[in-house]
Amino acid sequence: MVDPANTVGIPVNPTPLLKDELDIVIPTIRNLDFLEMWRPFLQPYHLIIVQDGDPTKKIHVPEGYDYELYNRNDINRILGPKASCISFKDSACRCFGYMVSKKKYIFTIDDDCFVAKDPSGKAVNALEQHIKNLLCPSTPLFFNTLYDPYREGADFVRGYPFSLREGVTTAVSHGLWLNIPDYDAPTQLVKPKERNTRYVDAVMTIPKGTLFPMCGMNLAFDRDLIGPAMYFGLMGDGQPIGRYDDMWAGWCIKVICDHLGLGVKTGLPYIYHSKASNPFVNLKKEYKGIFWQEEIIPFFQNAKLSKEATTVQQCYIELSKMVKEKLSSLDPYFDKLADAMVTWIEAWDELNPPAAAAANSKA
Amino acid sequence: MSSDEINKNEVDIVIGALNADLTPFLNTWKPFFSGFHLIIVKDPDLKEELNIPQGFDVDIYSKIDMEKTLGSSDSAMFSGYSCRYFGYLVSKKKYIVSIDDDCVPAKDPRGFLVDAVSQHVNNLERPATPLFFNTLYDPYREGADFVRGYPFSLRSGVPCAASCGLWLNLADLDAPTQALKAEQRNTSYVDAVMTVPLKAMLPISGINISFNRELIGPALVPALRIAGEGRVRWETLEDVWCGMCLKHISDHLGYGVKTGLPYVWRNERGDAVESLRKKWEGMKLMEKSVPFFESLKLPESAVTVGDCVVELAKAVKEQLGSDDPAFTQAADAMVKWVQLWSSVNSSG
């Protein structure tokens, strides 16, 4: 069994890295009590709260946090008709937070995720680890058997080509979860008591050409480099599918990162995931996804972006065309999704005009 | 996992003897080698008699055996670190585990000695998952599983061809790196086994390795020799080249290669700075190898491991032969190796 860390008494981080360059995006429909525990590590940072569900409900943000909060009314007001691309009654709505942020980096975390302990019992500053992951290169072109070669105490192994040792820029840092693992509904039903107690002390780059299931519970990325591709799709209310928002984004960003020569890392940091959602509810949401992913995966594995697609937006629009062309026959949902992907990019570009983006990236 | 749970009769432990006195090495490994059949292959250039302690079920092979098998007095193919390949050739078992003689059992974070042999065999017996990355690493491990979003059609995995272990203390770094970081020791015990994804290339180290001989045996090729190759790992690339071939062939045939646990504890030997003095050919050869393997496509018609090795050798000769004679020699050695493998193993 594992427990979360007790962070009482830990002082607020006096030297928070990238304090003014990072936003923390949190989707919530319940409350933000979990932020009490995260104070030492997250309080110095600006929060973007995306309130899902009933907009009249008042979400209390713990004292001391600097934040902006958007409910459904705000989303509709800001995006107008384009708000149709933002999911309702699903944590996929969090991607609205990515769109309105003006920062270079995003850290997103679920409201049932607490601070984990490392094997020595020390509280894990997940955000700090994500930042380290993002600030140092990735190595997608050749696998290093000692994992992250830039880490203290590690290096490239014998035989690793010297020409590849500078690595590429890291766009995404995907963290993991102790306690309740991110299982799908069938696995949850078969293993309701299984808890992840294994702390694997490694960060590694996912090789180019390899897809992975990206979980949005504990995730950080460089918004300038990959933000427009972090659309979490059409899920929840009025949609035939749920719990595939982050998966969809993960497949899109990986194809685009591979195309643009950016890196995606996975591994540390761990957070402590406290809540197991209802597996029967999950099964209803995921059901179609379980069948659809059998087609979707080969689609992404074979997706080839053109040489002319040199920006994330261009890549994403190309991808949306391919989705329309190749996946609509699977279900009309994908036709809608392809349109929503375009709407998302239009909304992104409206809220993030190029001049502002250039200014951001210089910061 | 205790060694009682694996079938010891399916395993050969192959040790390349580059140094004569194997007593300390074998005695340290006794708890984990006990009950297994050992094949010890003596480096043909080693003049002294091997010193092997009592209490092991062992067959020893030396230059004479190599010459008999090769039908010639030229045993250069098996010289130095490559001597162990002779053991792979003559073994009759399903699984091979091979560990360098400067390694001893490591301790896990709880202080228990790691049974590297059992861990390797368990890795080989459980499927690999090269077609999609599982973020919780080995999904078949106790306490783990496939994560949400992992396609169900890919959850039975593919056969595992090789299991590459790691090293605590002296990691397998190259000479320039180790010379620069003379005091650096690997103290990080990463508690995971994972499959290296399809098409991803990696440097496979021969220091702590195991493989399914029945599945992939001939793909472990003793082929690439660098000029001035020495008797310390800093002065060789034979295993790295072998690994590039092995991975490519595994990918082509639909098998998997795992990396991670088990760890062994690797001791000091040699001097990284000394090794630096030798003109480091290996670096240049690796640089040329990478784009070659990246773009290489074996023909659909290559359906056996032997076929794959022959096709690979052909491509090496055609595309890399003019870059460096070492590649031509490697290609020739690979073809010779496949012929040798068929003739020695023609009955099974």
Side-chain angles (χ1 to χ4, degrees):
Chain A
M1 284 313 295
V2 284
D3 300 308
N6 178 0
T7 54
V8 169
I10 300 180
V12 173
N13 187 353
T15 52
L17 293 171
L18 302 181
K19 182 171 84 70
D20 299 319
E21 295 171 77
L22 184 143
D23 274 338
I24 302 177
V25 172
I26 305 169
T28 187
I29 199 164
R30 290 176 283 253
N31 62 64
L32 294 169
D33 295 348
F34 83 115
L35 283 174
E36 284 296 347
M37 198 203 237
W38 281 101
R39 270 190 200 284
F41 306 138
L42 302 190
Q43 192 174 291
Y45 296 87
H46 181 71
L47 309 181
I48 295 181
I49 318 280
V50 183
Q51 179 184 340
D52 197 13
D54 182 3
T56 63
K57 178 173 171 180
K58 185 84 172 67
I59 299 279
H60 169 69
V61 182
E63 214 53 58
Y65 277 100
D66 171 46
Y67 70 96
E68 53 197 278
L69 186 146
Y70 301 91
N71 60 28
R72 192 71 207 183
N73 295 338
D74 300 313
I75 294 173
N76 290 338
R77 175 178 47 84
I78 293 170
L79 293 183
K82 296 198 176 73
S84 59
C85 75
I86 303 295
S87 304
F88 184 59
K89 286 297 211 37
D90 193 286
S91 62
C93 64
R94 75 176 79 210
C95 63
F96 178 77
Y98 308 159
M99 194 192 273
V100 298
S101 165
K102 302 272 167 274
K103 305 287 176 60
K104 182 163 165 62
Y105 300 100
I106 297 279
F107 170 47
T108 185
I109 184 170
D110 277 13
D111 62 10
D112 59 355
C113 293
F114 294 82
V115 179
K117 281 194 286 203
D118 71 14
S120 75
K122 183 165 169 240
V124 174
N125 184 344
L127 179 53
E128 192 172 71
Q129 180 66 54
H130 274 302
I131 290 171
K132 283 193 183 133
N133 293 349
L134 289 171
L135 291 180
C136 92
S138 295
T139 51
L141 301 175
F142 210 85
F143 189 89
N144 191 45
T145 48
L146 280 186
Y147 315 111
D148 180 1
Y150 307 103
R151 207 173 165 197
E152 185 73 44
D155 214 303
F156 291 97
V157 297
R158 177 176 55 99
Y160 200 104
F162 278 80
S163 62
L164 297 177
R165 293 192 187 197
E166 266 182 35
V168 304
T169 315
T170 304
V172 180
S173 166
H174 176 263
L176 297 174
W177 348 272
L178 290 175
N179 195 44
I180 308 287
D182 189 25
Y183 287 163
D184 52 51
T187 310
Q188 273 182 291
L189 286 164
V190 169
K191 295 179 165 189
K193 292 215 164 71
E194 186 148 278
R195 299 291 176 263
N196 186 20
T197 57
R198 187 171 294 126
Y199 188 100
V200 178
D201 189 16
V203 182
M204 64 197 76
T205 301
I206 300 180
K208 180 177 176 177
T210 302
L211 292 176
F212 77 114
M214 184 178 86
C215 173
M217 256 198 271
N218 172 20
L219 182 70
F221 58 94
D222 184 321
R223 199 177 153 279
D224 285 353
L225 289 180
I226 199 66
M230 276 289 185
Y231 175 48
F232 271 38
L234 289 172
M235 306 277 148
D237 229 43
Q239 307 298 344
I241 189 174
R243 284 172 54 89
Y244 270 86
D245 51 333
D246 41 5
M247 296 298 136
W248 182 262
W251 299 324
C252 291
I253 61 97
K254 189 56 166 65
V255 167
I256 294 174
C257 283
D258 286 351
H259 177 78
L260 295 176
L262 301 169
V264 175
K265 292 183 180 173
T266 187
L268 302 182
Y270 281 89
I271 48 86
Y272 180 94
H273 185 210
S274 67
K275 213 172 266 136
S277 37
N278 184 310
F280 298 98
V281 171
N282 288 346
L283 188 56
K284 281 210 195 117
K285 292 181 182 175
E286 289 172 14
Y287 167 76
K288 292 218 157 109
I290 286 173
F291 291 95
W292 287 349
Q293 77 191 1
E294 296 298 333
E295 302 284 331
I296 297 173
I297 299 303
F299 162 78
F300 278 104
Q301 281 169 337
N302 297 314
K304 284 213 183 354
L305 297 168
S306 74
K307 271 202 311 279
E308 289 74 36
T310 54
T311 67
V312 180
Q313 287 91 326
Q314 285 168 344
C315 291
Y316 204 72
I317 296 289
E318 253 183 43
L319 214 48
S320 75
K321 294 200 177 104
M322 293 185 216
V323 170
K324 200 168 223 175
E325 196 192 307
K326 303 224 165 83
L327 292 178
S328 292
S329 51
L330 184 58
D331 193 279
Y333 166 76
F334 291 99
D335 200 55
K336 263 192 355 184
L337 180 58
D339 289 339
M341 288 168 77
V342 175
T343 306
W344 160 264
I345 293 293
E346 288 170 357
W348 182 285
D349 282 344
E350 240 176 66
L351 259 58
N352 300 283
N360 269 348
S361 63
K362 283 204 183 80
Chain B
M1 204 113 233
S2 74
S3 58
D4 292 337
E5 301 184 49
I6 62 177
N7 183 353
K8 296 186 182 186
N9 291 325
E10 290 190 312
V11 184
D12 262 338
I13 299 176
V14 174
I15 307 296
L18 274 68
N19 299 290
D21 186 11
L22 290 175
T23 312
F25 171 75
L26 287 173
N27 281 337
T28 327
W29 280 100
K30 199 163 195 173
F32 306 120
F33 284 4
S34 146
F36 288 94
H37 176 246
L38 268 62
I39 291 181
I40 297 183
V41 187
K42 188 177 165 194
D43 176 1
D45 301 329
L46 183 63
K47 303 281 178 273
E48 305 140 72
E49 280 301 310
L50 288 185
N51 189 2
I52 293 172
Q54 296 288 340
F56 292 92
D57 172 19
V58 60
D59 281 311
I60 302 170
Y61 296 89
S62 61
K63 192 171 169 153
I64 295 176
D65 303 292
M66 293 172 191
E67 288 171 350
K68 210 182 333 175
T69 305
L70 286 162
S72 92
S73 58
D74 177 17
S75 56
M77 178 183 242
F78 299 114
S79 125
Y81 279 106
S82 297
C83 62
R84 59 170 61 180
Y85 292 89
F86 190 78
Y88 303 165
L89 182 67
V90 299
S91 164
K92 304 262 169 285
K93 301 291 173 66
K94 180 171 184 184
Y95 302 119
I96 300 268
V97 175
S98 212
I99 298 175
D100 273 9
D101 64 3
D102 57 357
C103 299
V104 298
K107 282 210 179 112
D108 71 17
R110 291 169 309 157
F112 296 115
L113 285 176
V114 173
D115 182 351
V117 180
S118 288
Q119 180 69 57
H120 270 306
V121 177
N122 283 319
N123 291 350
L124 292 172
E125 295 200 308
R126 289 197 287 237
T129 51
L131 302 175
F132 207 82
F133 191 89
N134 192 46
T135 48
L136 282 186
Y137 314 111
D138 181 359
Y140 307 105
R141 205 171 166 196
E142 185 77 44
D145 212 305
F146 290 97
V147 296
R148 174 175 57 98
Y150 201 105
F152 278 80
S153 64
L154 298 179
R155 295 192 187 197
S156 24
V158 302
C160 180
S163 159
C164 310
L166 295 172
W167 342 268
L168 288 174
N169 194 42
L170 208 64
D172 191 13
L173 308 177
D174 52 51
T177 309
Q178 190 72 68
L180 202 66
K181 296 180 168 187
E183 300 308 312
Q184 177 156 304
R185 298 292 178 268
N186 187 21
T187 55
S188 173
Y189 187 99
V190 178
D191 189 11
V193 181
M194 65 196 77
T195 301
V196 182
L198 179 71
K199 298 224 179 65
M201 292 180 285
L202 76 154
I204 294 184
S205 167
I207 295 173
N208 171 19
I209 190 174
S210 72
F211 60 97
N212 184 327
R213 192 185 166 279
E214 278 176 13
L215 208 60
I216 201 83
L220 277 95
V221 292
L224 189 73
R225 309 196 74 92
I226 54 183
E229 181 165 285
R231 299 306 190 266
V232 286
R233 281 291 182 191
W234 292 312
E235 295 170 13
T236 176
L237 261 193
E238 56 84 13
D239 49 351
V240 178
W241 175 263
C242 165
M244 300 282 276
C245 297
L246 163 65
K247 178 61 165 59
H248 199 89
I249 292 173
S250 289
D251 285 350
H252 176 80
L253 294 176
Y255 303 140
V257 172
K258 292 182 185 175
T259 187
L261 303 181
Y263 281 89
V264 295
W265 179 276
R266 188 159 172 253
N267 286 313
E268 296 282 345
R269 188 157 77 188
D271 181 342
V273 178
E274 262 304 315
S275 295
L276 262 183
R277 289 181 202 203
K278 297 197 172 175
K279 191 157 148 251
W280 212 61
E281 290 293 319
M283 245 190 294
K284 291 190 287 181
L285 295 177
M286 268 318 286
E287 293 301 331
K288 299 209 162 79
S289 306
V290 173
F292 165 75
F293 278 102
E294 201 168 16
S295 59
L296 178 69
K297 280 203 185 3
L298 293 175
E300 297 271 315
S301 53
V303 296
T304 67
V305 180
D307 287 347
C308 291
V309 177
V310 167
E311 290 293 332
L312 215 152
K314 216 190 305 178
V316 170
K317 202 164 205 160
E318 274 166 23
Q319 294 170 43
L320 293 174
S322 51
D323 280 338
D324 197 298
F327 288 123
T328 314
Q329 282 157 26
D332 291 339
M334 286 161 77
V335 172
K336 189 168 170 189
W337 173 250
V338 171
Q339 290 162 352
L340 210 52
W341 191 280
S342 324
S343 72
V344 170
N345 296 285
S346 53
S347 53

